[in-house]
Amino acid sequence: MKNNLKKKTWVKSRQIIVRVGDCKYCGKEIINTDSFVSFYQSGHAHYQCMKIEDEKQQKDPKHNQD
């Protein structure tokens, strides 16, 4: 008995781009293809913007502290 099933080939679907929100630090738009982080109850930020802000806080502990 022969197996007459065709080998399934996958067709790459088109990429869907979605707006995530605005960056918490620079205010620019973030889309799902960007490298970003999400904060619980406080929005989103570009990964690079968050990294720069974190480095500023490491240098000056009083930076952005209310």
Side-chain angles (χ1 to χ4, degrees):
M1 195 183 242
K2 276 190 171 182
N3 190 354
N4 290 332
L5 295 175
K6 278 187 171 182
K7 211 174 201 183
K8 191 168 189 171
T9 57
W10 294 97
V11 178
K12 188 174 181 179
S13 62
R14 62 187 166 158
Q15 186 176 18
I16 298 173
I17 298 176
V18 178
R19 184 182 186 277
V20 175
D22 294 328
C23 180
K24 179 179 178 179
Y25 301 110
C26 71
K28 293 181 182 175
E29 180 179 69
I30 301 172
I31 58 174
N32 64 328
T33 57
D34 293 338
S35 178
F36 69 95
V37 293
S38 294
F39 301 105
Y40 179 69
Q41 293 185 346
S42 64
H44 312 282
H46 293 105
Y47 178 77
Q48 195 62 33
C49 294
M50 182 204 63
K51 190 174 175 182
I52 291 169
E53 188 67 23
D54 188 50
E55 288 171 359
K56 287 179 186 176
Q57 281 188 346
Q58 295 295 325
K59 290 178 184 174
D60 183 14
K62 294 179 184 176
H63 177 74
N64 211 13
Q65 299 291 321
D66 295 326

